[in-house]
Amino acid sequence: MRPNPLIAGFYPDPSVVKVGADYYLVNSTFEYLPGIPVFHSRDLVDWKQIGHVVSREGQLASHSVPTLGGAWAPTIRHRDGVFYVVVTDAMGRGMLVFTASDPAGPWSDGIVIDGVHGIDPDLAWDSDGRAYVTYSGLDVTSGNPPGEHAGILQVTVDLSTGAVLSSPVSLWSGTGLKFPEAPHLYMRGEYWYLVIAEGGTERGHGISVARGLHPAGPFESGPGNPILSARSTARPIQNTGHGDLVETPDGGWAIVMLGMRPTGITQAFSAMGRETFITDARWTDDGWLEADPVLLNPRAGRFEFSDSFEGSSLGLEWIGVRRYPSSFASLSALPDHVVLTGDGSTLDDLRPAFLGYRQQHPLASVSVVVDPGASGVGGLAVRYDELHHYEVEVSGGVVTARAAVAGIRQEWSIDVPCDSPVTLGLDFVASTGEGFLPNLTSDLVVLSATTTDGSRHELARVDGRYLSQETAASFTGRVIGLYATRGEVLFTAFRYTGRD
């Protein structure tokens, strides 16, 4: 049985392609940069990040997108030695196609598919080499009033220029559930199969399938739709949908999709947001697709990640909010340190100096050594968005823990020696129900500081439910990070440990 989650943490909207014996997978990143991570695997089990599609200025217009904007739902495909990623830069440049000869990069600047208004684009080619972009439509030209969903639409595109060669064609919009989206087209035998998500990306999420003899339809709905959904069940993985079909190394089939791990007896709070999961699929004798329920199977043991910031560049794990880490973070002349330069922005702002690492486990412990110098202000934080973040900060001999939730703020402070570094900590510990409800209902986030004499000071324990998908209403997930609000702040010995 493969591990689930397949890739833990804020890695939503997965798309996967098999090229020979190799697999490549990409995810949405929304307002975070670098954008669209690229993973590689040989077995559909163990994955290593090898790069980003979006790695430099100008590829996305993410500097001022609102929360939820940016890189939405990429699809990765391969043809004639070229890798393609088609994606929507929501509230930015629009629908884009990126290309590369090596999936590790560098990728092209991106060509705009001009005049197409939609999300979740897919890319497929017919036997004549004609390129079809199929997407979840927002086009008003489809006959729907402005602002109303137009279902699954399709155009043909010149991928070298981005020119649209046909008017949008309405394909098939599912079984009547809300938000038909995430379409993917596949040819198998004589049929083209259209796999979509419907029911919304919340608890009603599911996957449905139709088929036809031409990539533009008409399409016949499958007899078992939705073929996959966790809605109205008590399964520990909910919101399963947005799937991409792939052949397995042994010649079978699997669907890679997003899902969530909500906690509590009512499964109400999802700290990591939408993650990448996998399940087996198969073809029936009459040529329809079936899929198994998505089962929880966390990777065994304790996970550890540490970074002492050696070498000449930051690791691929690190991301920033609407700005590249290189704009505010640099490896210090002091060995094994990274320096963040604050510009006055805070975690309440759209573009903080925040160097982020995704939380991947419901139970985790994070620490970093911080030296703000005489005038710097910075610390360690966990963030969902501008309105939902917890942090522990050091400045001028004072450590301050802070909780910001939807405009409500609370702070706790202690004095520490101002001439030496401080180890700041975030611990995500279990919070359980009482009596007959012993289930993990959420987590508590413990904010602490440890001085050089080894004295640990716990400043606060705050409820983790406020930093969850359902409360913050963001499409991302928890991101833990180092930050600076003023001056130059030195960091070293970042350490993350986690378990499920």
Side-chain angles (χ1 to χ4, degrees):
M1 181 178 175
R2 298 183 192 89
N4 258 336
L6 188 64
I7 303 178
F10 156 44
Y11 293 103
D13 306 330
S15 176
V16 63
V17 65
K18 184 175 187 284
V19 182
D22 296 286
Y23 295 89
Y24 301 97
L25 184 148
V26 294
N27 301 96
S28 297
T29 40
F30 300 96
E31 63 263 35
Y32 285 92
L33 294 169
I36 315 178
V38 182
F39 291 89
H40 171 255
S41 176
R42 295 298 298 270
D43 58 8
L44 276 181
V45 174
D46 297 311
W47 295 85
K48 178 182 178 182
Q49 187 175 349
I50 59 173
H52 289 92
V53 174
V54 177
S55 61
R56 62 187 180 274
E57 299 289 349
Q59 289 178 289
L60 294 182
S62 298
H63 287 88
S64 59
V65 295
T67 298
L68 305 180
W72 280 26
T75 292
I76 185 169
R77 294 293 184 257
H78 179 267
R79 180 178 173 85
D80 296 335
V82 178
F83 288 87
Y84 295 82
V85 164
V86 58
V87 66
T88 300
D89 182 13
M91 292 159 272
R93 294 179 67 192
M95 193 176 292
L96 305 168
V97 176
F98 296 98
T99 58
S101 57
D102 182 347
W107 290 74
S108 67
D109 291 338
I111 294 173
V112 177
I113 301 177
D114 195 30
V116 175
H117 306 287
I119 60 173
D120 301 0
D122 173 73
L123 180 58
W125 294 264
D126 65 15
S127 58
D128 295 328
R130 183 179 293 107
Y132 294 83
V133 172
T134 307
Y135 58 100
S136 182
L138 304 177
D139 299 60
V140 296
T141 56
S142 63
N144 289 56
E148 287 194 13
H149 199 283
I152 303 300
L153 303 181
Q154 184 186 82
V155 292
T156 55
V157 175
D158 181 342
L159 295 176
S160 66
T161 65
V164 174
L165 305 177
S166 63
S167 298
V169 175
S170 180
L171 298 189
W172 175 72
S173 293
T175 64
L177 300 178
K178 69 176 182 177
F179 297 137
E181 56 192 349
H184 289 303
L185 268 175
Y186 316 91
M187 189 176 186
R188 183 177 184 270
E190 64 177 324
Y191 288 109
W192 284 87
Y193 290 85
L194 176 60
V195 176
I196 73 166
E198 57 176 335
T201 195
E202 307 81 28
R203 297 294 187 266
H205 213 198
I207 296 175
S208 296
V209 62
R211 71 184 183 190
L213 296 174
H214 188 273
F219 286 95
E220 170 195 5
S221 180
N225 286 325
I227 64 166
L228 186 147
S229 181
R231 66 189 187 202
S232 301
T233 72
R235 294 174 194 153
I237 303 173
Q238 293 286 318
N239 302 56
T240 48
H242 201 113
D244 202 0
L245 182 66
V246 67
E247 187 177 359
T248 61
D250 62 2
W253 294 89
I255 298 176
V256 174
M257 80 213 76
L258 70 82
M260 291 167 63
R261 291 184 282 172
T263 57
I265 197 68
T266 58
Q267 297 181 299
F269 302 100
S270 308
M272 268 69 70
R274 302 180 303 162
E275 306 175 271
T276 292
F277 293 87
I278 191 169
T279 195
D280 286 326
R282 69 198 58 80
W283 299 97
T284 65
D285 291 340
D286 54 356
W288 287 106
L289 186 64
E290 294 181 338
D292 290 341
V294 186
L295 303 179
L296 182 65
N297 185 33
R299 296 178 189 267
R302 186 175 71 167
F303 173 85
E304 295 188 11
F305 171 79
S306 61
D307 197 338
S308 293
F309 307 105
E310 302 169 345
S312 59
S313 61
L314 291 170
L316 294 173
E317 303 87 356
W318 297 103
I319 51 178
V321 185
R322 299 180 182 85
R323 56 196 296 198
Y324 290 92
S326 59
S327 70
F328 59 84
S330 60
L331 296 177
S332 172
L334 189 65
D336 303 338
H337 285 73
V338 64
V339 58
L340 271 61
T341 302
D343 57 6
S345 60
T346 72
L347 295 176
D348 298 330
D349 295 316
L350 288 177
R351 302 179 69 226
F354 175 84
L355 185 63
Y357 178 86
R358 294 164 174 88
Q359 183 177 341
Q360 300 158 64
H361 306 82
L363 304 176
S365 180
V366 186
S367 63
V368 69
V369 179
V370 185
D371 184 355
S375 59
V377 179
L380 178 66
V382 54
R383 175 190 189 275
Y384 230 98
D385 56 30
E386 295 78 37
L387 292 175
H388 301 84
H389 49 86
Y390 302 154
E391 61 258 29
V392 55
E393 180 178 282
V394 60
S395 171
V398 176
V399 172
T400 300
R402 183 179 301 112
V405 176
I408 303 170
R409 304 170 72 85
Q410 188 168 353
E411 295 185 350
W412 306 261
S413 296
I414 61 168
D415 294 330
V416 297
C418 59
D419 57 353
S420 59
V422 179
T423 300
L424 303 181
L426 295 172
D427 292 285
F428 304 85
V429 300
S431 169
T432 56
E434 300 294 333
F436 66 96
L437 299 178
N439 303 63
L440 176 68
T441 59
S442 176
D443 59 347
L444 293 174
V445 185
V446 182
L447 298 93
S448 67
T450 303
T451 52
T452 53
D453 64 1
S455 300
R456 180 180 181 275
H457 305 271
E458 182 179 306
L459 283 82
R461 289 183 172 233
V462 288
D463 194 328
R465 289 177 294 181
Y466 296 109
L467 267 60
S468 67
Q469 173 95 36
E470 294 80 3
T471 303
S474 172
F475 285 160
T476 57
R478 285 190 192 168
V479 179
I480 296 161
L482 324 176
Y483 72 94
T485 62
R486 189 177 71 237
E488 293 188 345
V489 182
L490 283 169
F491 297 85
T492 191
F494 177 87
R495 186 165 185 260
Y496 172 104
T497 61
R499 61 185 178 87
D500 290 291

PDB file of all heavy atoms in Angstrom, residues 394-422:
ATOM      1  N   VAL A 394      11.794  38.424  18.677  1.00  0.00           N
ATOM      2  CA  VAL A 394      12.800  38.971  19.589  1.00  0.00           C
ATOM      3  C   VAL A 394      13.272  40.329  19.083  1.00  0.00           C
ATOM      4  O   VAL A 394      13.462  40.530  17.887  1.00  0.00           O
ATOM      5  CB  VAL A 394      13.977  37.987  19.765  1.00  0.00           C
ATOM      6  CG1 VAL A 394      14.657  37.687  18.444  1.00  0.00           C
ATOM      7  CG2 VAL A 394      14.984  38.521  20.768  1.00  0.00           C
ATOM      8  N   SER A 395      13.422  41.261  20.038  1.00  0.00           N
ATOM      9  CA  SER A 395      13.871  42.620  19.715  1.00  0.00           C
ATOM     10  C   SER A 395      14.313  43.319  20.987  1.00  0.00           C
ATOM     11  O   SER A 395      13.553  43.359  21.962  1.00  0.00           O
ATOM     12  CB  SER A 395      12.731  43.429  19.068  1.00  0.00           C
ATOM     13  OG  SER A 395      13.075  44.776  18.935  1.00  0.00           O
ATOM     14  N   GLY A 396      15.547  43.826  20.976  1.00  0.00           N
ATOM     15  CA  GLY A 396      16.002  44.680  22.064  1.00  0.00           C
ATOM     16  C   GLY A 396      15.864  44.086  23.452  1.00  0.00           C
ATOM     17  O   GLY A 396      15.473  44.785  24.393  1.00  0.00           O
ATOM     18  N   GLY A 397      16.166  42.807  23.618  1.00  0.00           N
ATOM     19  CA  GLY A 397      16.088  42.190  24.926  1.00  0.00           C
ATOM     20  C   GLY A 397      14.690  41.789  25.365  1.00  0.00           C
ATOM     21  O   GLY A 397      14.474  41.458  26.530  1.00  0.00           O
ATOM     22  N   VAL A 398      13.733  41.786  24.450  1.00  0.00           N
ATOM     23  CA  VAL A 398      12.365  41.383  24.764  1.00  0.00           C
ATOM     24  C   VAL A 398      11.920  40.334  23.746  1.00  0.00           C
ATOM     25  O   VAL A 398      12.114  40.506  22.539  1.00  0.00           O
ATOM     26  CB  VAL A 398      11.393  42.582  24.736  1.00  0.00           C
ATOM     27  CG1 VAL A 398       9.956  42.117  24.979  1.00  0.00           C
ATOM     28  CG2 VAL A 398      11.797  43.629  25.755  1.00  0.00           C
ATOM     29  N   VAL A 399      11.349  39.236  24.246  1.00  0.00           N
ATOM     30  CA  VAL A 399      10.714  38.244  23.378  1.00  0.00           C
ATOM     31  C   VAL A 399       9.207  38.394  23.523  1.00  0.00           C
ATOM     32  O   VAL A 399       8.678  38.421  24.641  1.00  0.00           O
ATOM     33  CB  VAL A 399      11.138  36.809  23.734  1.00  0.00           C
ATOM     34  CG1 VAL A 399      10.319  35.795  22.945  1.00  0.00           C
ATOM     35  CG2 VAL A 399      12.620  36.606  23.466  1.00  0.00           C
ATOM     36  N   THR A 400       8.519  38.503  22.399  1.00  0.00           N
ATOM     37  CA  THR A 400       7.075  38.689  22.390  1.00  0.00           C
ATOM     38  C   THR A 400       6.424  37.564  21.597  1.00  0.00           C
ATOM     39  O   THR A 400       6.806  37.304  20.449  1.00  0.00           O
ATOM     40  CB  THR A 400       6.691  40.040  21.762  1.00  0.00           C
ATOM     41  OG1 THR A 400       7.289  41.096  22.510  1.00  0.00           O
ATOM     42  CG2 THR A 400       5.175  40.222  21.742  1.00  0.00           C
ATOM     43  N   ALA A 401       5.471  36.893  22.207  1.00  0.00           N
ATOM     44  CA  ALA A 401       4.628  35.943  21.497  1.00  0.00           C
ATOM     45  C   ALA A 401       3.343  36.661  21.095  1.00  0.00           C
ATOM     46  O   ALA A 401       2.822  37.483  21.862  1.00  0.00           O
ATOM     47  CB  ALA A 401       4.308  34.738  22.368  1.00  0.00           C
ATOM     48  N   ARG A 402       2.853  36.356  19.900  1.00  0.00           N
ATOM     49  CA  ARG A 402       1.693  37.100  19.385  1.00  0.00           C
ATOM     50  C   ARG A 402       0.759  36.141  18.648  1.00  0.00           C
ATOM     51  O   ARG A 402       1.200  35.281  17.891  1.00  0.00           O
ATOM     52  CB  ARG A 402       2.169  38.187  18.432  1.00  0.00           C
ATOM     53  CG  ARG A 402       1.096  39.088  17.863  1.00  0.00           C
ATOM     54  CD  ARG A 402       1.710  40.138  16.948  1.00  0.00           C
ATOM     55  NE  ARG A 402       2.695  40.966  17.634  1.00  0.00           N
ATOM     56  CZ  ARG A 402       4.004  40.943  17.384  1.00  0.00           C
ATOM     57  NH1 ARG A 402       4.483  40.123  16.459  1.00  0.00           N
ATOM     58  NH2 ARG A 402       4.825  41.727  18.053  1.00  0.00           N
ATOM     59  N   ALA A 403      -0.527  36.315  18.858  1.00  0.00           N
ATOM     60  CA  ALA A 403      -1.551  35.583  18.118  1.00  0.00           C
ATOM     61  C   ALA A 403      -2.434  36.597  17.403  1.00  0.00           C
ATOM     62  O   ALA A 403      -2.989  37.500  18.042  1.00  0.00           O
ATOM     63  CB  ALA A 403      -2.391  34.718  19.055  1.00  0.00           C
ATOM     64  N   ALA A 404      -2.551  36.465  16.085  1.00  0.00           N
ATOM     65  CA  ALA A 404      -3.402  37.339  15.278  1.00  0.00           C
ATOM     66  C   ALA A 404      -4.446  36.475  14.580  1.00  0.00           C
ATOM     67  O   ALA A 404      -4.099  35.579  13.808  1.00  0.00           O
ATOM     68  CB  ALA A 404      -2.572  38.100  14.254  1.00  0.00           C
ATOM     69  N   VAL A 405      -5.710  36.742  14.878  1.00  0.00           N
ATOM     70  CA  VAL A 405      -6.803  35.959  14.329  1.00  0.00           C
ATOM     71  C   VAL A 405      -7.912  36.905  13.890  1.00  0.00           C
ATOM     72  O   VAL A 405      -8.582  37.523  14.721  1.00  0.00           O
ATOM     73  CB  VAL A 405      -7.366  34.948  15.351  1.00  0.00           C
ATOM     74  CG1 VAL A 405      -8.563  34.216  14.765  1.00  0.00           C
ATOM     75  CG2 VAL A 405      -6.297  33.968  15.792  1.00  0.00           C
ATOM     76  N   ALA A 406      -8.065  37.062  12.575  1.00  0.00           N
ATOM     77  CA  ALA A 406      -9.178  37.832  12.006  1.00  0.00           C
ATOM     78  C   ALA A 406      -9.305  39.217  12.627  1.00  0.00           C
ATOM     79  O   ALA A 406     -10.403  39.680  12.934  1.00  0.00           O
ATOM     80  CB  ALA A 406     -10.480  37.056  12.153  1.00  0.00           C
ATOM     81  N   GLY A 407      -8.165  39.892  12.812  1.00  0.00           N
ATOM     82  CA  GLY A 407      -8.176  41.236  13.363  1.00  0.00           C
ATOM     83  C   GLY A 407      -8.103  41.315  14.871  1.00  0.00           C
ATOM     84  O   GLY A 407      -8.004  42.407  15.430  1.00  0.00           O
ATOM     85  N   ILE A 408      -8.169  40.191  15.563  1.00  0.00           N
ATOM     86  CA  ILE A 408      -8.040  40.143  17.025  1.00  0.00           C
ATOM     87  C   ILE A 408      -6.610  39.763  17.359  1.00  0.00           C
ATOM     88  O   ILE A 408      -6.060  38.823  16.783  1.00  0.00           O
ATOM     89  CB  ILE A 408      -9.026  39.127  17.633  1.00  0.00           C
ATOM     90  CG1 ILE A 408     -10.457  39.471  17.221  1.00  0.00           C
ATOM     91  CG2 ILE A 408      -8.894  39.076  19.143  1.00  0.00           C
ATOM     92  CD1 ILE A 408     -11.455  38.392  17.573  1.00  0.00           C
ATOM     93  N   ARG A 409      -5.976  40.472  18.294  1.00  0.00           N
ATOM     94  CA  ARG A 409      -4.570  40.245  18.609  1.00  0.00           C
ATOM     95  C   ARG A 409      -4.391  40.118  20.125  1.00  0.00           C
ATOM     96  O   ARG A 409      -5.066  40.796  20.903  1.00  0.00           O
ATOM     97  CB  ARG A 409      -3.696  41.397  18.108  1.00  0.00           C
ATOM     98  CG  ARG A 409      -3.831  41.672  16.631  1.00  0.00           C
ATOM     99  CD  ARG A 409      -3.138  42.971  16.249  1.00  0.00           C
ATOM    100  NE  ARG A 409      -1.703  42.835  16.302  1.00  0.00           N
ATOM    101  CZ  ARG A 409      -0.961  42.358  15.299  1.00  0.00           C
ATOM    102  NH1 ARG A 409      -1.556  41.962  14.177  1.00  0.00           N
ATOM    103  NH2 ARG A 409       0.340  42.276  15.393  1.00  0.00           N
ATOM    104  N   GLN A 410      -3.460  39.254  20.499  1.00  0.00           N
ATOM    105  CA  GLN A 410      -3.060  39.149  21.893  1.00  0.00           C
ATOM    106  C   GLN A 410      -1.562  38.908  21.943  1.00  0.00           C
ATOM    107  O   GLN A 410      -1.002  38.210  21.089  1.00  0.00           O
ATOM    108  CB  GLN A 410      -3.803  38.010  22.607  1.00  0.00           C
ATOM    109  CG  GLN A 410      -3.560  37.989  24.116  1.00  0.00           C
ATOM    110  CD  GLN A 410      -4.516  37.055  24.839  1.00  0.00           C
ATOM    111  OE1 GLN A 410      -5.443  36.519  24.241  1.00  0.00           O
ATOM    112  NE2 GLN A 410      -4.283  36.883  26.129  1.00  0.00           N
ATOM    113  N   GLU A 411      -0.889  39.497  22.955  1.00  0.00           N
ATOM    114  CA  GLU A 411       0.557  39.395  23.060  1.00  0.00           C
ATOM    115  C   GLU A 411       0.971  39.017  24.476  1.00  0.00           C
ATOM    116  O   GLU A 411       0.291  39.341  25.450  1.00  0.00           O
ATOM    117  CB  GLU A 411       1.234  40.712  22.671  1.00  0.00           C
ATOM    118  CG  GLU A 411       1.044  41.097  21.208  1.00  0.00           C
ATOM    119  CD  GLU A 411       1.829  42.348  20.835  1.00  0.00           C
ATOM    120  OE1 GLU A 411       2.363  43.012  21.764  1.00  0.00           O
ATOM    121  OE2 GLU A 411       1.921  42.658  19.630  1.00  0.00           O
ATOM    122  N   TRP A 412       2.135  38.325  24.557  1.00  0.00           N
ATOM    123  CA  TRP A 412       2.748  37.965  25.832  1.00  0.00           C
ATOM    124  C   TRP A 412       4.245  38.240  25.686  1.00  0.00           C
ATOM    125  O   TRP A 412       4.841  37.892  24.654  1.00  0.00           O
ATOM    126  CB  TRP A 412       2.538  36.495  26.137  1.00  0.00           C
ATOM    127  CG  TRP A 412       1.113  36.025  26.101  1.00  0.00           C
ATOM    128  CD1 TRP A 412       0.278  35.839  27.163  1.00  0.00           C
ATOM    129  CD2 TRP A 412       0.348  35.641  24.946  1.00  0.00           C
ATOM    130  NE1 TRP A 412      -0.944  35.377  26.752  1.00  0.00           N
ATOM    131  CE2 TRP A 412      -0.932  35.243  25.391  1.00  0.00           C
ATOM    132  CE3 TRP A 412       0.622  35.597  23.585  1.00  0.00           C
ATOM    133  CZ2 TRP A 412      -1.923  34.807  24.528  1.00  0.00           C
ATOM    134  CZ3 TRP A 412      -0.368  35.172  22.716  1.00  0.00           C
ATOM    135  CH2 TRP A 412      -1.624  34.782  23.180  1.00  0.00           C
ATOM    136  N   SER A 413       4.898  38.819  26.703  1.00  0.00           N
ATOM    137  CA  SER A 413       6.300  39.210  26.575  1.00  0.00           C
ATOM    138  C   SER A 413       7.109  38.820  27.800  1.00  0.00           C
ATOM    139  O   SER A 413       6.581  38.743  28.919  1.00  0.00           O
ATOM    140  CB  SER A 413       6.427  40.720  26.365  1.00  0.00           C
ATOM    141  OG  SER A 413       5.825  41.117  25.156  1.00  0.00           O
ATOM    142  N   ILE A 414       8.413  38.564  27.568  1.00  0.00           N
ATOM    143  CA  ILE A 414       9.369  38.371  28.645  1.00  0.00           C
ATOM    144  C   ILE A 414      10.659  39.090  28.280  1.00  0.00           C
ATOM    145  O   ILE A 414      10.936  39.337  27.093  1.00  0.00           O
ATOM    146  CB  ILE A 414       9.674  36.873  28.894  1.00  0.00           C
ATOM    147  CG1 ILE A 414      10.276  36.237  27.631  1.00  0.00           C
ATOM    148  CG2 ILE A 414       8.439  36.122  29.363  1.00  0.00           C
ATOM    149  CD1 ILE A 414      10.870  34.862  27.866  1.00  0.00           C
ATOM    150  N   ASP A 415      11.459  39.434  29.298  1.00  0.00           N
ATOM    151  CA  ASP A 415      12.771  40.027  29.071  1.00  0.00           C
ATOM    152  C   ASP A 415      13.814  38.916  28.960  1.00  0.00           C
ATOM    153  O   ASP A 415      13.763  37.912  29.689  1.00  0.00           O
ATOM    154  CB  ASP A 415      13.148  40.965  30.214  1.00  0.00           C
ATOM    155  CG  ASP A 415      12.242  42.184  30.281  1.00  0.00           C
ATOM    156  OD1 ASP A 415      11.748  42.611  29.216  1.00  0.00           O
ATOM    157  OD2 ASP A 415      12.017  42.703  31.392  1.00  0.00           O
ATOM    158  N   VAL A 416      14.777  39.105  28.048  1.00  0.00           N
ATOM    159  CA  VAL A 416      15.875  38.158  27.877  1.00  0.00           C
ATOM    160  C   VAL A 416      17.160  38.965  27.712  1.00  0.00           C
ATOM    161  O   VAL A 416      17.119  40.162  27.414  1.00  0.00           O
ATOM    162  CB  VAL A 416      15.662  37.260  26.643  1.00  0.00           C
ATOM    163  CG1 VAL A 416      14.420  36.392  26.802  1.00  0.00           C
ATOM    164  CG2 VAL A 416      15.575  38.083  25.362  1.00  0.00           C
ATOM    165  N   PRO A 417      18.319  38.332  27.904  1.00  0.00           N
ATOM    166  CA  PRO A 417      19.572  39.064  27.664  1.00  0.00           C
ATOM    167  C   PRO A 417      19.635  39.574  26.233  1.00  0.00           C
ATOM    168  O   PRO A 417      19.334  38.851  25.286  1.00  0.00           O
ATOM    169  CB  PRO A 417      20.644  37.998  27.925  1.00  0.00           C
ATOM    170  CG  PRO A 417      19.991  37.022  28.842  1.00  0.00           C
ATOM    171  CD  PRO A 417      18.547  36.977  28.435  1.00  0.00           C
ATOM    172  N   CYS A 418      19.999  40.818  26.071  1.00  0.00           N
ATOM    173  CA  CYS A 418      19.945  41.436  24.744  1.00  0.00           C
ATOM    174  C   CYS A 418      21.251  41.311  23.976  1.00  0.00           C
ATOM    175  O   CYS A 418      21.350  41.796  22.850  1.00  0.00           O
ATOM    176  CB  CYS A 418      19.553  42.904  24.862  1.00  0.00           C
ATOM    177  SG  CYS A 418      20.690  43.885  25.865  1.00  0.00           S
ATOM    178  N   ASP A 419      22.264  40.650  24.574  1.00  0.00           N
ATOM    179  CA  ASP A 419      23.564  40.569  23.921  1.00  0.00           C
ATOM    180  C   ASP A 419      23.901  39.167  23.440  1.00  0.00           C
ATOM    181  O   ASP A 419      25.060  38.851  23.173  1.00  0.00           O
ATOM    182  CB  ASP A 419      24.658  41.066  24.867  1.00  0.00           C
ATOM    183  CG  ASP A 419      24.689  40.294  26.185  1.00  0.00           C
ATOM    184  OD1 ASP A 419      23.778  39.475  26.401  1.00  0.00           O
ATOM    185  OD2 ASP A 419      25.618  40.521  26.970  1.00  0.00           O
ATOM    186  N   SER A 420      22.891  38.289  23.341  1.00  0.00           N
ATOM    187  CA  SER A 420      23.154  36.919  22.898  1.00  0.00           C
ATOM    188  C   SER A 420      21.956  36.393  22.115  1.00  0.00           C
ATOM    189  O   SER A 420      20.827  36.862  22.298  1.00  0.00           O
ATOM    190  CB  SER A 420      23.449  36.015  24.097  1.00  0.00           C
ATOM    191  OG  SER A 420      22.360  36.014  25.000  1.00  0.00           O
ATOM    192  N   PRO A 421      22.181  35.391  21.259  1.00  0.00           N
ATOM    193  CA  PRO A 421      21.063  34.828  20.482  1.00  0.00           C
ATOM    194  C   PRO A 421      20.051  34.126  21.378  1.00  0.00           C
ATOM    195  O   PRO A 421      20.341  33.742  22.511  1.00  0.00           O
ATOM    196  CB  PRO A 421      21.757  33.826  19.545  1.00  0.00           C
ATOM    197  CG  PRO A 421      23.193  34.235  19.520  1.00  0.00           C
ATOM    198  CD  PRO A 421      23.471  34.809  20.868  1.00  0.00           C
ATOM    199  N   VAL A 422      18.847  33.949  20.834  1.00  0.00           N
ATOM    200  CA  VAL A 422      17.757  33.277  21.527  1.00  0.00           C
ATOM    201  C   VAL A 422      17.223  32.173  20.608  1.00  0.00           C
ATOM    202  O   VAL A 422      17.095  32.385  19.401  1.00  0.00           O
ATOM    203  CB  VAL A 422      16.626  34.266  21.887  1.00  0.00           C
ATOM    204  CG1 VAL A 422      15.482  33.542  22.589  1.00  0.00           C
ATOM    205  CG2 VAL A 422      17.150  35.405  22.736  1.00  0.00           C
TER     206      VAL A 422
END
